Every structure is written in structure tokens, then in C-alpha cells.
Amino acid sequence: MVEISSDVIRGYTDTMILSILWDEPSYGYEISKTIRMISDGKYVIKETTLYSAFSRMEKNGYLKSFPMEDLKTGKKRTYYSMTDAGRKYYIEKCEEWELTKEVIELFIRKEGV
Amino acid sequence: MVEISSDVIRGYTDTMILSILWDEPSYGYEISKTIRMISDGKYVIKETTLYSAFSRMEKNGYLKSFPMEDLKTGKKRTYYSMTDAGRKYYIEKCEEWELTKEVIELFIRKEGV
DNA sequence: AGACGTACTACGACAGACGTAGTACGTCTG
DNA sequence: CAGACGTACTACGTCTGTCGTAGTACGTCT
């Protein structure tokens, strides 16, 4: 069973989170469920990784947190929304990804080659 | 200028090195030049990163080092060659890469989308 | 009553990448 | 012929992101 190593994901958890926040604000638990769902269970972000990413990104000005009540349950949650800097950062990371992918693939052998 | 962040490469430097050692043994400086050449200057591995990867991989049994004279210059160099475990590891990393790439791309927006 | 899901926070460990520095030797250049 | 530069490392310490462990709190389900 091939598994994704955290060393590869490292540096892209932020991008995943921002990708989800692009359209609308959300909060921790919901984001983690969304990531699991989108990746079809192939990647499950650890809680500590998630919340440390939040505080890092808020410190860097990519996110803003605010308390809000969950629309469905009415419970108080800590929501996060993207800032303009966050959108810019996300777009840059997407460009960086294309380059990184290209470079790494120069050193990868496809199955059967 | 988009640059590759070390957090993404993290965990794939080993794979790059092994990729170069697949066909024939080589030594530090030569490997670093080869990586720079293959990636067309897009990725330049730091010396410390390279040599710490060597000792890590030798400890893990993926590489074996031996002293040998450079065929061109006749100078003594520390050569590294892949073990069977190294080849197995490299193949696994290539498979892992395919999965990782798939997952990350689910969170990446292509230019203009 | 206790398990489980939800929703966090705090603290510390770990590993890989990197910065800085130093050594040594040979070649090239002004 | 002195100094810069390329080659070929080694040693040591720092930083950062991920993750393990643990704890809190509240609601639902069985």
C-alpha cells in the first residue's frame, strides 16, 4: 500500500486549506472533512497540522479568523476566511507547483520503464 | 520568479540522488552537477543537503560508499552506489509520487481557471 | 453510563533542509 | 606569484512543519 509521506505534502497543506477557503469561509473540523472527502480518503490531515497551519497563516496575513455560529447547528465555531494576500499566495503556490512537478518528474521513472 | 521551495522537495532529494545512481556509481560533486544539469538549473541541491542525504541513505542501507579514483582526473573521491534496497526504495518513491501528485492536483487551480 | 463524534488547545519531539564555517588541493589569471 | 575560483568534502548548529500525546468540553446515540 503506497502512502503519501508527510515530507512531500509539507509545504502544500497550506495550499490545500486555502483552496477550500477560496469560495467561502470555513472552520477546522469542516475543512479537515472536506480535504478527506476531496482526496477520497487518500489524504487525511492531522488535527495538529491543521491548526498549526491556521495560526501560521493568520500570522502571515493569509487568513483572518472570526467567531461565527455554524449555520446548520448554531454552534459557535472559529471560522477562517482568506485575505487578498492569501489569494495571492495561493496563486503563487499553484505556479510553484507546476514548476516543482516538472522538475521532480525528471527524476521519476514511470511504471514499466 | 517562481522558485521551488525546499519544503516541497523535502523527501524527494533522496529520490533524485538515487535516480542518478541507478545506472552507475558517482560522488557528491558530480551528482550535484548532474542534478543541476538535468533540471536545467531549476533546482540546485545544497551541499549540506546532499551530504546529509548520503549519510542518511547509507545508514538506511540504500547506498554504499567506497573510495575510488575519478576516471578522468585520477583524484580520490568518495563514490556511492545503490544497493538492492535502494532500488526498491526508489521504485516505491516513484509510485508514491504518482499518488501524491494526484492528490495535490485536486487542490491546485491551473492558470486561467 | 459510556462510547463516539465534534471542536478545539497546549506542549514537546523529530527529521530534513539549510546557513555558516573550515579544510585542502589544483588551476587559472592579472 | 598571489589571490580568486572550482573542486570535494566535514562539522555543527538552527529552523520549520509535521506529528504524537494529552486534555477539555459538549452533544448524541445506544
Side-chain angles (χ1 to χ4, degrees):
Chain A
M1 174 59 187
V2 181
E3 260 183 62
I4 295 175
S5 86
S6 54
D7 275 333
V8 192
I9 291 291
R10 191 184 170 112
Y12 272 89
T13 52
D14 290 7
T15 310
M16 290 184 180
I17 292 164
L18 291 174
S19 153
I20 289 163
L21 292 176
W22 187 275
D23 295 317
E24 50 176 1
S26 185
Y27 61 92
Y29 202 79
E30 202 175 59
I31 292 172
S32 92
K33 277 195 296 179
T34 306
I35 289 177
R36 196 168 58 213
M37 195 191 65
I38 290 178
S39 72
D40 200 23
K42 291 190 194 77
Y43 182 61
V44 179
I45 194 167
K46 302 289 183 303
E47 281 175 89
T48 41
T49 303
L50 180 65
Y51 291 108
S52 75
F54 282 152
S55 60
R56 177 174 59 248
M57 288 199 282
E58 187 159 25
K59 210 182 76 189
N60 291 339
Y62 302 148
L63 296 182
K64 264 192 301 186
S65 69
F66 56 96
M68 201 176 81
E69 279 167 24
D70 188 316
L71 294 172
K72 291 166 214 148
T73 63
K75 306 288 160 51
K76 274 189 187 168
R77 302 288 173 240
T78 305
Y79 273 75
Y80 290 89
S81 69
M82 268 175 116
T83 62
D84 288 344
R87 288 180 197 278
K88 194 160 163 280
Y89 175 70
Y90 173 73
I91 291 166
E92 279 165 13
K93 289 297 280 184
C94 289
E95 283 167 26
E96 184 200 280
W97 167 252
E98 296 302 324
L99 177 63
T100 304
K101 190 178 64 172
E102 253 179 62
V103 170
I104 292 181
E105 299 225 305
L106 293 167
F107 300 90
I108 292 289
R109 281 160 214 232
K110 308 281 179 195
E111 225 177 324
V113 179
Chain B
M1 174 59 188
V2 180
E3 261 182 60
I4 295 176
S5 86
S6 53
D7 274 333
V8 192
I9 292 292
R10 193 184 169 110
Y12 272 88
T13 51
D14 290 9
T15 309
M16 290 183 179
I17 293 165
L18 292 174
S19 153
I20 288 163
L21 293 175
W22 186 275
D23 295 318
E24 50 176 0
S26 185
Y27 62 92
Y29 204 77
E30 201 175 60
I31 291 172
S32 93
K33 278 196 296 181
T34 306
I35 289 176
R36 195 167 59 213
M37 195 193 63
I38 290 178
S39 72
D40 199 22
K42 291 190 195 77
Y43 183 60
V44 180
I45 194 165
K46 302 290 182 304
E47 280 175 271
T48 41
T49 302
L50 180 66
Y51 291 108
S52 75
F54 282 153
S55 60
R56 177 175 59 247
M57 288 199 283
E58 187 161 25
K59 211 183 75 190
N60 291 338
Y62 302 148
L63 296 181
K64 262 192 301 187
S65 69
F66 56 96
M68 201 175 83
E69 279 167 24
D70 188 317
L71 294 172
K72 292 164 213 150
T73 64
K75 306 288 161 50
K76 273 188 188 168
R77 302 288 173 241
T78 306
Y79 274 73
Y80 290 89
S81 69
M82 267 175 117
T83 62
D84 288 343
R87 288 180 196 278
K88 193 160 164 279
Y89 174 70
Y90 173 73
I91 291 166
E92 279 165 11
K93 289 297 280 183
C94 289
E95 284 167 26
E96 182 200 280
W97 166 253
E98 296 302 325
L99 177 62
T100 304
K101 189 178 66 171
E102 252 179 64
V103 169
I104 292 181
E105 299 225 304
L106 294 168
F107 299 91
I108 293 288
R109 281 160 214 232
K110 310 280 178 196
E111 227 176 323
V113 179

